[in-house]
Amino acid sequence: MNTNQKTSTALAWLVLSIVLIALDQWTKSIATANLQMGEPVVFVAGFWDWTLAHNTGAAFSFLANSGEWAHWFFVVMKIAVSLVLVVLLGKMPRQQWRDALPYALIIAGALGNLVDRFRFGYVVDFIEWYYRDYHWPVFNIADSSITIGVILILLFQSVIFKEQPKDEQSGDSASAIA
């Protein structure tokens, strides 16, 4: 493999992951320093508050009260998913952004929350969206990265965003009939 092939892998997308991990940790440090646990601070009235919360579980506090085994389960799962996605990025061309972008987002989210698990034993959440009495579970930048990454994978793999085969793109009616 020559040097051009090595530098043209999608591993370059990990720069985005690093930037998002840094942003996630920075915003969590601001939230921790300035918010009181469970006390909302209005950001956009009727829709968006800053509310400090600690999540020992997974998404939506799944398995939050399951003890030490759940903590290590989440640690191992986040490391495994991140490693698999990094390997996949290393095997794809940098220009394959429809796969690389969502993978980079998911890696950022997994590792951003993993940093919290190692530092605190829980994940710091602080963004709370709501409408009237309905409150979305409190989340953070890392959670948003994972969610957007998964949505992009679903969108890009859907029929709407799938690339057409070459002969269909050319408009060659003979090849379309055959």
Side-chain angles (χ1 to χ4, degrees):
M1 180 181 290
N2 68 35
T3 307
N4 288 340
Q5 288 175 325
K6 283 185 181 180
T7 59
S8 67
T9 70
L11 286 173
W13 284 88
L14 290 176
V15 172
L16 175 62
S17 299
I18 292 166
V19 168
L20 288 171
I21 292 167
L23 178 64
D24 175 65
Q25 291 299 304
W26 179 63
T27 56
K28 288 173 180 175
S29 69
I30 291 170
T32 301
N34 294 292
L35 298 172
Q36 298 299 315
M37 181 65 69
E39 293 182 22
V41 173
V42 175
F43 182 64
V44 177
F47 171 68
W48 187 339
D49 289 348
W50 303 121
T51 305
L52 184 62
H54 296 164
N55 183 358
T56 57
F60 313 117
S61 296
F62 176 68
L63 296 176
N65 298 316
S66 297
E68 190 72 15
W69 74 268
H71 168 81
W72 290 108
F73 171 76
F74 295 130
V75 166
V76 169
M77 184 179 67
K78 289 172 189 293
I79 291 171
V81 166
S82 296
L83 286 174
V84 166
L85 294 177
V86 167
V87 168
L88 291 173
L89 285 173
K91 292 181 178 184
M92 74 176 61
R94 182 184 304 183
Q95 299 79 10
Q96 198 170 327
W97 68 272
R98 287 186 178 188
D99 292 326
L101 173 60
Y103 291 178
L105 291 171
I106 292 168
I107 291 166
L111 296 182
N113 283 339
L114 183 64
V115 169
D116 286 11
R117 288 197 187 279
F118 278 127
R119 288 180 66 200
F120 310 119
Y122 54 82
V123 173
V124 175
D125 290 328
F126 62 94
I127 303 168
E128 182 179 19
W129 287 348
Y130 60 94
Y131 178 72
R132 296 186 181 168
D133 291 334
Y134 176 77
H135 289 253
W136 189 257
V138 182
F139 61 100
N140 59 44
I141 302 294
D143 298 335
S144 299
S145 295
I146 293 169
T147 301
I148 293 168
V150 169
I151 289 169
L152 288 176
I153 287 171
L154 295 172
L155 280 175
F156 294 155
Q157 296 303 314
S158 73
V159 175
I160 297 169
F161 288 99
K162 280 239 183 218
E163 292 183 22
Q164 298 295 319
K166 296 289 184 207
D167 46 344
E168 287 182 30
Q169 286 180 346
S170 67
D172 182 2
S173 59
S175 62
I177 296 171

